[in-house]
Amino acid sequence: MNRLLRPADIAKQLGISTSSLRNYETRGLVPPARRAPNGYREYTSEHAAYFECIVAMSPGFGMEITSSVLSLLQRKELGEALWLLNDAQAATHEDRKMLDEAEGLLVQIKEEQRGDSNWKTIGEMATATNLSASTLRYWEKEGYIQSARNNETNHYRHYDLFQAVKIWLLKSTQNAVYSSDVVLLKQAIAKLPEGDLHTLQSVIETARKALVQRNREQLWGLNRLYQLCTVLKLF
């Protein structure tokens, strides 16, 4: 039986406000609730499963993907919803590969203790990292990376291996859900003293821990999504 639940009880259980519940409903993340004669919303256990899913999924997948997935579930389009989640998890795997690339370059710096032969122009760096030159210029403007200018190449920007590591680190944050942790990580990258390999290694380790946490949050979100699909009888 789909029993009625008070918004205050659901909000308390999930540790959010009743206004958040109303906001999720207004945005279409959950089916519209019936209204009691006194005007109060009447949520059901199905609504509660939706709300639990939102709270569980949003830290690991973000609200945009969470919203899209729940909208698809309301239309019984489970297959499309799963592909969205598959893409998000694939992006997390790609971010791990970027951190591996950053660490590999750091090892190279430690072994060579020089980088003169490894400078790349902005175009070469954009190609190597599959980023746009405008992204690199923006990151430099924001102080995350620094380039040198070479008089022999018309003052084009050049990046050494140390900056390349920072660029791969920054790229690994592009798929992350925006949070204070992401902001702090980018600030740490910006503050890295040139040539400080020990601190650079610490920043890479911090980025790896954040990626592991994102993996765990996605797993928990998928767990609650499974519970919601069970309630909705989608499989």
Side-chain angles (χ1 to χ4, degrees), residues 63-83:
M63 282 305 301
E64 183 177 351
I65 292 177
T66 299
S67 299
S68 297
V69 166
L70 296 188
S71 294
L72 287 167
L73 292 190
Q74 290 181 59
R75 299 197 298 270
K76 312 299 182 184
E77 298 178 25
L78 176 59
E80 288 301 315
L82 293 178
W83 282 120

Side-chain angles (χ1 to χ4, degrees), residues 153-168:
T153 54
N154 299 319
H155 300 283
Y156 289 159
R157 289 176 170 87
H158 283 70
Y159 301 97
D160 62 10
L161 282 179
F162 190 85
Q163 298 302 318
V165 175
K166 292 169 67 176
I167 289 168
W168 281 108

Side-chain angles (χ1 to χ4, degrees), residues 40-105:
Y40 290 150
R41 286 173 170 81
E42 294 184 333
Y43 289 131
T44 65
S45 55
E46 180 178 305
H47 287 101
Y50 269 103
F51 289 131
E52 288 174 3
C53 195
I54 294 168
V55 172
M57 284 186 62
S58 54
F61 292 102
M63 282 305 301
E64 183 177 351
I65 292 177
T66 299
S67 299
S68 297
V69 166
L70 296 188
S71 294
L72 287 167
L73 292 190
Q74 290 181 59
R75 299 197 298 270
K76 312 299 182 184
E77 298 178 25
L78 176 59
E80 288 301 315
L82 293 178
W83 282 120
L84 278 180
L85 295 168
N86 182 272
D87 289 343
Q89 291 182 291
T92 299
H93 180 70
E94 286 300 311
D95 289 347
R96 179 185 177 186
K97 291 166 64 176
M98 292 172 200
L99 291 179
D100 290 342
E101 185 73 26
E103 192 143 38
L105 289 176

